[in-house]
Amino acid sequence: MSQKPSITFTKLAAPRKGSVVVLWAEGAGLSKSGAACDPANILERASEVADFSGKSGSVLDVLAPEGPGLDRLVAIGAGKASELDDYGWMKLGGVIAATLRRTPDATVVADLPDAAADAGGAAALAAGIVLRSYSFDRYKTRKGETPDDEAQKPGKITIQTSDPAGAKKAFAAMSAVADGVLLARDLVNEPANVLGPLEFVERIRKLAQLGVEVEILAEKEMKKLGMGALLGVAQGSPRGARLAVMRWNGGKAKDRPVAFVGKGVTFDTGGNSMKSPSGMEDMKGDMGGAAAVTGLMHALAARKAKANVVGIVGLVENAVDGNAQRPGDIVTSMSGQTIEVLNTDAEGRLVLADALWYCADRFKPAAMIDLATLTGAIMVALGQHHAGLFCNDDELAGWLAQAGSETHERLWRMPLGPEYDKLIDSKNADMKNVGGRYGGAITAAQFLQRFVKDTPWAHLDIAGTAMGAPSSEISQSWGTGFGVRLLDRLVRDHYEK
Ligand code: BES
Ligand code: MN
Ligand code: ZN
């Protein structure tokens, strides 16, 4: 992980030296404390010259203004102050982090005219700074040579707010979640030669330091449980297979847990139904679901969420090899249902079939939500700005969609139904692992549904959002960490008491 900026909160007091960032509300300008940083109304004049009106995300940058001490004075457009929600504050933090590329040490006056003391806002702004400052630079041995590298230099940022104690407290939780996002991004960005199933498990074991109970099933135990679907995918790789079970028991002993299940294909060549070479390198990110579940468990444990949560990830590599499974092979899943593997590149659902069944069977969760970079078809349907949401429970679907719009990790509901389910019936086994030409994301979801029993369940197809998604105010990373903030919000709003 790249180094994180260090952030502290202090009371409002006009800074007199260094770099200073103030917020400018559209239509209302600077707050009293913001204006106090501006010795000779420099920003007022500059705003007229530059036609700056405080539109959300716009920047007015004045270098070495005249007057005592200030090196740089920046006004960040905050839009209409009344419309700022948590995500809005987070985006401001992102814009600030991007603006401070070459002067990373700064004071930010997180105050707006007429704004009530907003400790949550200042904390969200800080979280936005942390998220935007991330870059995956572990393998750059010559840091700081290109302007791009320099951009990533983390700084010391002092955030002034009317309620520093409140902001510090709110930031403790938000920073736990941000750390979970950064962990997920790191896992997705890591190349597959470095991060295979066993190495992924080592990263998961570190969560024990936060109080997460970690249990690892190796091939032998999985074989005993009858996980022929998951093991069939893994059999072509020398790098092993693991099922990791993470448990965070922050709730009451009697509460049924909420469960999250992730697809963890550390590399997807397609197997014998091999993918074409162009863009295949992206398949190092085919464990984005497992990364999100791991990042989420980190977040929940680090902020001591008052809920019982289970995280399960199926970790395999889908390799090409003399021992790899062949199209036409028939495997028996832990559920007892048989699957004809017509396409070895539709491997994620095979991994999830056993992981979901195991989860439902052992934990009887109140709800079970899986995340998977499951289909190219979901990207055709929704592009990269929404993940696909498939759900057998309208209430759960509503909660997820709501959490999605609040965190801006947005979901779009897709259909399930018997007509689609029929498309995966097989002549030779209970089902086949691919449907026909149409509705590929839906038939994949129908396949998963055959392994959830009657558990309230949701499937998030994050193929378009977990990696390579367009960068945003709070992410410039290829691996986005999509799902961590979303599901943290879901747990906070619906499973914590
Ligand atoms: N991991 C891929 C899906 C994927 C594609 C994720 C592009 C991210 C970007 C998945 O295992 C896969 O190969 N799916 C196939 C299914 C098909 C063979 C039915 C697909 O989408 O083409
Ligand atoms: Mn595949
Ligand atoms: Zn895959």
Side-chain angles (χ1 to χ4, degrees):
M1 195 197 291
S2 57
Q3 258 187 294
K4 281 200 303 181
S6 93
I7 293 179
T8 49
F9 298 94
T10 62
K11 284 203 290 261
L12 295 167
R16 292 287 169 222
K17 57 180 174 25
S19 298
V20 176
V21 179
V22 297
L23 303 181
W24 183 296
E26 195 172 356
L30 298 170
S31 70
K32 228 193 249 159
S33 38
C37 307
D38 179 0
N41 282 324
I42 298 158
L43 287 176
E44 283 292 339
R45 279 190 294 143
S47 73
E48 280 160 29
V49 177
D51 199 18
F52 174 86
S53 61
K55 278 209 174 35
S56 177
S58 58
V59 177
L60 179 64
D61 198 347
V62 183
L63 286 170
E66 259 188 281
L70 291 189
D71 300 325
R72 185 179 179 189
L73 185 53
V74 186
I76 302 288
K80 301 251 180 339
S82 60
E83 288 167 15
L84 269 182
D85 56 5
D86 261 13
Y87 184 69
W89 281 101
M90 221 178 232
K91 283 200 292 190
L92 291 182
V95 174
I96 290 168
T99 306
L100 293 176
R101 291 158 82 103
R102 278 167 201 82
T103 47
D105 297 343
T107 302
V108 178
V109 182
D111 191 27
L112 285 164
D114 312 322
D118 191 345
L125 181 146
I129 291 176
V130 172
L131 290 172
R132 174 64 178 251
S133 301
Y134 170 90
S135 73
F136 183 68
D137 56 8
R138 167 172 294 166
Y139 301 101
K140 296 261 204 183
T141 65
R142 298 187 305 274
K143 292 188 175 64
E145 278 194 346
T146 71
D148 223 33
D149 293 344
E150 197 183 349
Q152 314 304 345
K153 200 171 138 210
K156 284 202 184 68
I157 296 183
T158 305
I159 299 179
Q160 295 190 354
T161 160
S162 53
D163 178 10
K168 192 175 166 201
K169 185 155 175 266
F171 184 59
M174 288 190 199
S175 151
V177 178
D179 285 346
V181 175
L182 301 193
L183 170 59
R185 287 182 186 170
D186 261 351
L187 290 167
V188 173
N189 286 328
E190 203 64 85
N193 61 328
V194 174
L195 193 81
L198 303 190
E199 295 82 9
F200 200 124
V201 159
E202 289 316 308
R203 306 267 179 122
I204 287 174
R205 285 194 194 280
K206 291 192 184 151
L207 297 186
Q209 294 163 8
L210 298 172
V212 176
E213 287 172 27
V214 177
E215 222 180 299
I216 306 295
L217 279 63
E219 290 92 341
K220 207 168 126 203
E221 290 100 42
M222 288 193 275
K223 200 161 176 205
K224 225 159 130 194
L225 289 164
M227 296 190 172
L230 185 152
L231 290 170
V233 176
Q235 77 188 26
S237 168
R239 301 187 63 189
R242 295 289 184 273
L243 190 86
V245 181
M246 297 164 259
R247 300 179 74 178
W248 170 251
N249 300 314
K252 301 196 186 77
K254 64 169 177 39
D255 291 346
R256 286 164 89 194
V258 55
F260 300 95
V261 179
K263 167 180 173 181
V265 176
T266 59
F267 195 79
D268 180 12
T269 63
N272 275 314
S273 315
M274 213 191 333
K275 288 186 179 299
S276 76
S278 94
M280 201 201 275
E281 66 276 13
D282 285 355
M283 288 300 112
K284 73 173 185 177
D286 208 18
M287 25 55 69
V293 170
T294 306
L296 174 68
M297 296 308 289
H298 178 107
L300 296 173
R303 69 169 182 79
K304 301 198 165 47
K306 291 188 175 54
N308 295 334
V309 185
V310 174
I312 294 184
V313 298
L315 299 165
V316 301
E317 182 182 51
N318 190 21
V320 201
D321 180 83
N323 195 44
Q325 68 183 343
R326 295 141 292 255
D329 283 6
I330 294 176
V331 295
T332 303
S333 65
M334 182 184 172
S335 72
Q337 300 174 92
T338 56
I339 304 159
E340 186 179 20
V341 180
L342 288 183
N343 188 322
T344 64
D345 195 14
E347 85 297 341
R349 63 198 75 182
L350 298 169
V351 173
L352 286 174
D354 281 334
L356 286 167
W357 184 269
Y358 176 82
C359 180
D361 192 52
R362 174 169 170 197
F363 294 105
K364 320 238 169 338
M368 178 163 74
I369 296 151
D370 77 72
L371 299 98
T373 49
L374 202 65
T375 68
I378 200 67
M379 304 167 73
V380 175
L382 299 179
Q384 298 198 280
H385 300 289
H386 286 81
L389 162 63
F390 299 84
C391 193
N392 64 2
D393 182 291
D394 289 343
E395 185 180 52
L396 178 60
W399 290 353
L400 279 162
Q402 174 76 13
S405 59
E406 282 169 8
T407 55
H408 215 72
E409 292 195 323
R410 290 170 296 172
L411 305 174
W412 195 262
R413 192 159 182 193
M414 302 280 290
L416 290 163
E419 304 85 349
Y420 298 109
D421 187 63
K422 227 173 53 193
L423 299 176
I424 53 168
D425 287 338
S426 153
K427 336 198 252 311
N428 300 314
D430 296 334
M431 69 195 87
K432 52 191 181 185
N433 76 331
V434 286
R437 206 159 111 70
Y438 301 126
I442 307 173
T443 47
Q446 290 296 160
F447 184 97
L448 299 181
Q449 191 173 17
R450 293 188 181 202
F451 299 89
V452 305
K453 306 190 177 188
D454 48 13
T455 317
W457 156 78
H459 157 57
L460 309 182
D461 194 335
I462 58 172
T465 53
M467 54 197 173
S471 53
S472 74
E473 286 89 348
I474 60 167
S475 174
Q476 302 284 304
S477 169
W478 181 77
T480 60
F482 183 97
V484 176
R485 292 189 303 110
L486 167 81
L487 296 174
D488 174 77
R489 181 69 64 104
L490 177 83
V491 169
R492 191 182 92 186
D493 289 350
H494 299 289
Y495 297 96
E496 287 187 68
K497 291 194 184 102

